[in-house]
Amino acid sequence: MHRPSAIILVLFAPALASAQEEGGVVTLTRAMAIQRVLDENPELRANQADVVIAQARTKQVDAAKYPSIDVTVGVASSLAARNSDPDENGVRSERASYGEFDIGQLRPAFLGRLTAIQPIHTFGKIGLREEAADAALEAARAQGRIGAADVLVQVAMLYESHLYAKDILFFVKDIKSVAGRSIEETEARLEVGAFDVTPQDLLRLKTALGAAILIENFAQAAISQTAEGLRAYLAYPPGTRIQTQEDYLDPVNDEPTALEGLIALARDQRPELVALAQGIKAYDKLADAEYADWFPNIFALGFVSGAWTPDRDQQQSRFVVDPLNHFVAGALVGAQWKIQWDTATHRAAEIRAEAFRLQQLEAWASTGLPAEVNRYHREVVRARADVEQLKITLPVTQEWVVRASADYAAGFDDSRGVTDAVAAFVTMKNNQLDAVYRLNLNLAELAKATGTLGRPQASLYPGE
């Protein structure tokens, strides 16, 4: 008896604990399952942190274009200080400050300083880093799509395996019915001593029935396992029972697609290529920004400084500024260099080396992409051809089972005719389910290879 090989794959799916009876029931289609994963899967939501980090970096670079403001305020202690009265000649003189120190003359001093620096021209240090940050943000988004596609393929595998197992149960019931009737007829004929049946016929039929029950047990376990795997991937709470809207495993897409069009779609949509291209751009811009450290920063600076101490006169001299009692404002335009020998050149070279690494990976990805698309495209073509052939072969095999069962019941054939027909039917039915399973799963893989899985362009899978 040929065991359904595709269902074995579900044994490697995560979170395959038995579904609990309590909890709500959720009915899904393929499209609903995929959308739910994109919205709620914890792994994919965690990956969004990389996008948030990249967005924060773009905002940090953008903030560098605006004034940098430094504000300092404080409270200190100071001595009271008053200008002396004019002498008889009308000349004012300063009383000694610290030579006549008296703790009773201490006063609080309130100080404040505000400095604002506005970049005017940085020779690309800000603009290039802004472009690098924008490219890095796009790369992070593409990286998120890569992770999402991997998870979606696993969900597609679980969904198709679940339908595979459900479909097996339907045809195993037919096999059990045929085998059961044949066993009853054989036992009845053995009891009356019919010459055209033997105990070996009974044993052969019971063996066929036992094999069908084993497949039934396997399919029931797979249904429970895949449902629980879907629950885990779709982030439903424990106890939620998952069921599919479909009862049978049918092809999700019957429309053939030209290989050339799929390759072109992959070159445009594949997130790996987008991530590499944007990563290269980010490194190139960042290297240019590092090299720009050879040039100065042109800036405008404005400042306001003030201090006030009670019982302390403000000096009116342009040559003296009392740090504890004054108000001063000013502005200037200047240039600032920070050159550490040829460090800027070597930093730029280091970053360009990272860009070169990504360029080689991009070249390799571009070269291998058509081969990957071709692989899954050929598997889809093969599976479709198998499905069409089995539309012809399976009804023939079903007729064989019916005729063999009728001939055995009429005494025209022995039990080998029934068991051979049943075995052939099980093989052909499993081949048919396997072909549809391969078709649907390879359509999901093809959608991943073209970068459309889980996106609005997802006409390949789920095909809704």
Side-chain angles (χ1 to χ4, degrees):
M1 191 76 66
H2 181 65
R3 178 171 291 183
S5 57
I7 297 183
I8 298 176
L9 293 173
V10 303
L11 298 178
F12 298 95
L16 296 183
S18 299
Q20 303 178 33
E21 291 299 324
E22 65 272 17
V25 178
V26 176
T27 302
L28 298 170
T29 64
R30 292 177 178 89
M32 290 168 61
I34 285 179
Q35 190 58 50
R36 171 78 183 189
V37 170
L38 294 174
D39 292 340
E40 301 295 338
N41 182 266
E43 181 181 356
L44 300 188
R45 296 179 72 176
N47 290 341
Q48 290 300 309
D50 293 332
V51 176
V52 175
I53 291 171
Q55 288 174 330
R57 287 173 178 165
T58 62
K59 297 299 184 182
Q60 291 173 33
V61 175
D62 184 65
K65 297 185 296 185
Y66 300 99
S68 172
I69 300 175
D70 183 13
V71 178
T72 303
V73 295
V75 179
S77 60
S78 175
L79 292 171
R82 293 290 187 181
N83 292 325
S84 61
D85 295 331
D87 60 15
E88 61 274 18
N89 298 319
V91 178
R92 299 170 64 89
S93 62
E94 297 291 337
R95 184 183 307 147
S97 300
Y98 297 98
E100 301 175 5
F101 175 77
D102 182 351
I103 194 170
Q105 295 179 351
L106 285 177
R107 300 289 185 271
F110 303 92
L111 304 92
R113 181 179 179 86
L114 182 149
T115 303
I117 301 176
Q118 171 64 56
I120 297 176
H121 186 62
T122 63
F123 292 90
K125 296 183 187 69
I126 296 176
L128 290 168
R129 282 183 169 84
E130 186 175 28
E131 293 183 53
D134 289 340
L137 174 58
E138 293 304 316
R141 287 171 174 160
Q143 288 283 357
R145 287 172 49 205
I146 295 171
D150 291 336
V151 173
L152 290 175
V153 167
Q154 294 300 314
V155 170
M157 182 272 290
L158 286 169
Y159 198 97
E160 302 306 326
S161 296
H162 186 80
L163 291 179
Y164 197 142
K166 287 176 66 175
D167 224 333
I168 281 178
L169 285 183
F170 287 116
F171 92 81
V172 166
K173 289 179 181 178
D174 293 337
I175 298 303
K176 288 174 62 180
S177 176
V178 171
R181 287 197 306 269
S182 298
I183 288 171
E184 291 175 358
E185 292 167 358
T186 301
E187 289 175 336
R189 290 159 70 181
L190 285 174
E191 287 180 0
V192 298
F195 68 92
D196 57 346
V197 294
T198 66
Q200 287 83 351
D201 290 324
L202 182 61
L203 295 175
R204 188 177 294 112
L205 292 169
K206 286 185 176 181
T207 300
L209 177 61
I213 292 173
L214 291 178
I215 295 177
E216 181 181 45
N217 294 340
F218 188 82
Q220 287 175 339
I223 289 172
S224 175
Q225 291 169 341
T226 52
E228 186 65 5
L230 286 170
R231 183 203 62 76
Y233 269 112
L234 274 56
Y236 284 109
T240 302
R241 288 179 292 168
I242 302 296
Q243 62 185 27
T244 58
Q245 193 173 83
E246 305 90 345
D247 289 326
Y248 300 97
L249 181 63
D250 293 319
V252 299
N253 190 321
D254 290 324
E255 295 296 325
T257 306
L259 178 60
E260 294 76 12
L262 292 172
I263 293 174
L265 185 62
R267 292 191 187 281
D268 182 57
Q269 297 292 332
R270 188 68 179 260
E272 289 86 347
L273 294 181
V274 175
L276 286 169
Q278 293 298 322
I280 292 168
K281 180 180 178 181
Y283 278 125
D284 283 339
K285 296 298 182 181
L286 188 58
D288 291 340
E290 291 290 346
Y291 191 78
D293 279 347
W294 280 108
F295 305 99
N297 294 328
I298 310 300
F299 64 92
L301 181 146
F303 69 91
V304 175
S305 177
W308 177 69
T309 301
D311 298 328
R312 189 177 180 94
D313 287 343
Q314 185 171 1
Q315 300 302 308
Q316 302 300 318
S317 171
R318 295 185 179 182
F319 302 103
V320 178
V321 175
D322 183 353
L324 299 174
N325 204 65
H326 70 275
F327 180 83
V328 178
L332 63 87
V333 174
Q336 181 187 42
W337 280 268
K338 185 179 179 181
I339 300 176
Q340 296 178 318
W341 198 235
D342 58 350
T343 303
T345 300
H346 296 304
R347 283 202 304 263
E350 179 183 356
I351 294 171
R352 290 194 194 283
E354 294 294 339
F356 176 78
R357 187 204 308 274
L358 294 187
Q359 286 169 349
Q360 303 313 303
L361 292 176
E362 183 184 39
W364 171 244
S366 297
T367 302
L369 184 63
E372 184 179 6
V373 174
N374 180 72
R375 170 191 171 189
Y376 292 116
H377 178 261
R378 290 305 308 169
E379 288 295 330
V380 167
V381 171
R382 174 196 165 201
R384 281 180 175 147
D386 291 347
V387 169
E388 292 304 315
Q389 178 58 46
L390 286 161
K391 287 180 180 179
I392 300 172
T393 305
L394 191 60
V396 173
T397 312
Q398 287 176 307
E399 184 178 355
W400 181 10
V401 171
V402 173
R403 288 181 177 273
S405 179
D407 288 346
Y408 180 69
F412 296 143
D413 197 2
D414 62 16
S415 60
R416 288 187 181 86
V418 176
T419 55
D420 288 348
V422 168
F425 176 67
V426 169
T427 299
M428 287 300 105
K429 182 62 178 179
N430 181 64
N431 287 340
Q432 185 242 359
L433 293 177
D434 182 70
V436 177
Y437 174 86
R438 287 186 289 108
L439 172 59
N440 290 351
L441 194 57
N442 280 293
L443 281 169
E445 292 281 8
L446 187 57
K448 176 187 173 184
T450 56
T452 61
L453 186 57
R455 306 200 74 196
Q457 305 93 330
S459 59
L460 294 169
Y461 190 94
E464 297 182 19

